[in-house]
Amino acid sequence: MDRSRRRPVCAQHEEDDAMREMEIHDYARQLLEAHGPKAIAEAAQNAIDLEKKGELELARTWRHIEDAMKLMRGPHQS
């Protein structure tokens, strides 16, 4: 492969992060549409369950999904 056509490693990493962020937000939107506000609590519970099992990376992903849904929901009204 021609070295001049390769992307720098940091650019590839940034692109991967952007793609992952888009996938998380898309999944969060789908969960909110399908389950409504209770989807946020379900995501939080998934994270708790995974943390207890030691699946920390998956738990972080569910926390990220939970945060994305909270942003989509907007300010909490009491």
Side-chain angles (χ1 to χ4, degrees):
M1 179 176 184
D2 179 7
R3 287 179 186 253
S4 65
R5 301 186 92 189
R6 281 193 207 163
R7 270 186 231 149
V9 174
C10 62
Q12 182 64 44
H13 181 69
E14 289 173 9
E15 187 176 297
D16 291 345
D17 286 349
M19 180 60 84
R20 182 172 184 268
E21 191 69 23
M22 288 172 38
E23 290 171 351
I24 284 174
H25 280 264
D26 187 48
Y27 190 65
R29 180 187 50 75
Q30 291 175 28
L31 284 174
L32 271 177
E33 288 175 1
H35 300 278
K38 73 177 185 174
I40 297 169
E42 291 171 0
Q45 188 60 54
N46 285 342
I48 291 167
D49 294 344
L50 288 163
E51 287 163 351
K52 287 179 183 176
K53 294 177 184 177
E55 299 282 346
L56 301 182
E57 189 61 34
L58 270 175
R60 275 191 288 275
T61 298
W62 276 104
R63 293 286 183 201
H64 199 149
I65 292 167
E66 176 189 4
D67 291 342
M69 286 190 284
K70 287 177 180 176
L71 284 173
M72 290 173 194
R73 173 195 66 191
H76 183 67
Q77 310 237 339
S78 54

